[in-house]
Amino acid sequence: GEHALLVKAIGDLARVPGVARLEPHDHLTKVVLEPGCRDSDFLARAQALGVRFDHFQVALPSLEDVFVRLAKEAAEPQNND
């Protein structure tokens, strides 16, 4: 699944390398990271571009996301060697 952060920031998050997409999330911004981009990589790159953070947390998957992932896994054929 995708890895995302919830942030409140001043600056252009779209310019930060490693950002796959941005989504509004209540009063925060959900930052979906590209595969292989770690939280610390994103934070360092953003700060190097002058982005300031008032809030920073790992976004937990929603119950719907978990359900969809589990349903897909259950629908896949099982390999019983």
Side-chain angles (χ1 to χ4, degrees), residues 21-51:
R21 69 180 185 278
L22 302 171
E23 302 172 2
H25 186 86
D26 297 326
H27 62 284
L28 302 171
T29 300
K30 182 177 181 181
V31 180
V32 179
L33 299 177
E34 293 175 349
C37 182
R38 298 180 312 188
D39 301 351
S40 57
D41 297 334
F42 165 77
L43 188 58
R45 293 169 184 165
Q47 289 176 326
L49 290 173
V51 176

